[in-house]
Amino acid sequence: MKIGILTSGGDCPGLNAVIRGIVLKGTTSYDLEFVGIRDGWRGVVDGDFFPLTRHEVKGLSKVGGTILGTSRTNPYEGERGGAENIAKTLYGHRIDGIIAIGGEGTLAAADRLAKDGINVIGVPKTIDNDLRATDYSFGFDTAVNIATEAMDRLRTTGDSHQRCMVAEVMGRHVGWIALHAGMAAGAHAILIPEVPQTLDEIAALVTSAHDRGRAPLVVVSEGFKLQGMDEAYSDKGLDAFNRPRLGGIGDRLAPEIERITGIETRATILGHIQRGGSPSAFDRVLATRLGLHAADAIVDGAWGQMVAMQGTEIVRVPFEDALGELNTVPLHRYEEAAALFG
Ligand code: F6P
């Protein structure tokens, strides 16, 4: 059997480890043949494939980014898009199925293609950890570690100047990165999309920490909304999916915090730093295991399903289990952390 592998949507540390896991297990245990698909669904639509052997994946588990490239192309758009055209393209290259590694948008497209008769297996990916049906997605642990290290650094400069430091992290709809990195770094306030708050509430936490002689650290998810805001802050236009490009709420909050509290305040936006570089050991292991199990899923003909982590096991779930609702931070998890604030 010949299988195409693609990575689609925003990249994240661990994508290459998945690719390596699939190819190693698929070639050594099952004699499968693989092709790499360039730039996500764009490569499927354009028939942009190249041979992917054991040689191409050697040493990849520690390498950030994706050797396949990625894009936010919708496979149903364009002249050569749509399930019928894609089926012809795959048939022309004698490709029997696709492994799609991606987040919600990628898996939604995979689900639709699977329902339209294309053989697809999914592997969930997101640094935001916002997909249901998998307890953790690879990339998240690395992002949390990067954000934590950055905040540790912000705290030492904040301490020196007795300033309030605002650290903005990624998290479009959910606050997992902010919650975990904030807890790890000992933040005095953690602001997440799931829990809108007022400026006065934030200022009270900052003042309380400052009054105890601490340099306050505020962690904010890019998708956080102050009470009364309908949409997350965005001033950078739209992305390829017509979603607002987020980033900048930290810069908005910092002068307001300074105005209300009288404490000198600085903001740092971590941005794509959180998605770059080498995956953590946890993410290398998780990504590799997902890849190994995706190869098993091909041989079992488990089309229309994705591999996922539940507890410590890798399981298979239908695409729709991961779609629709997001894996938001439950209120009790936020309230648990709130004992550390102020
Ligand atoms: O979905 C992951 C994510 O990192 C979000 O947290 C963020 O809003 C978005 O991707 C940024 O995407 P882009 O790479 O298109 O700027």
Side-chain angles (χ1 to χ4, degrees), residues 224-247:
F224 169 74
K225 295 190 277 289
L226 281 167
Q227 256 176 40
M229 280 169 72
D230 292 333
E231 302 291 338
Y233 180 74
S234 164
D235 64 357
K236 299 181 177 71
L238 302 177
D239 69 12
F241 285 157
N242 280 330
R243 302 176 311 178
R245 281 183 58 207
L246 302 187

Side-chain angles (χ1 to χ4, degrees), residues 41 73-78 81-84 86 98 100 104-121 303-305 318-320 323:
W41 297 114
T73 303
N74 180 340
Y76 278 86
E77 278 173 8
E84 223 172 285
I86 288 174
I98 294 173
E104 226 216 342
T106 308
L107 297 175
D111 184 38
R112 188 170 165 196
L113 287 169
K115 287 183 172 129
D116 285 345
I118 307 285
N119 290 337
V120 194
I121 284 165
W303 309 115
Q305 300 188 52
F319 283 128
E320 53 260 29
L323 302 171

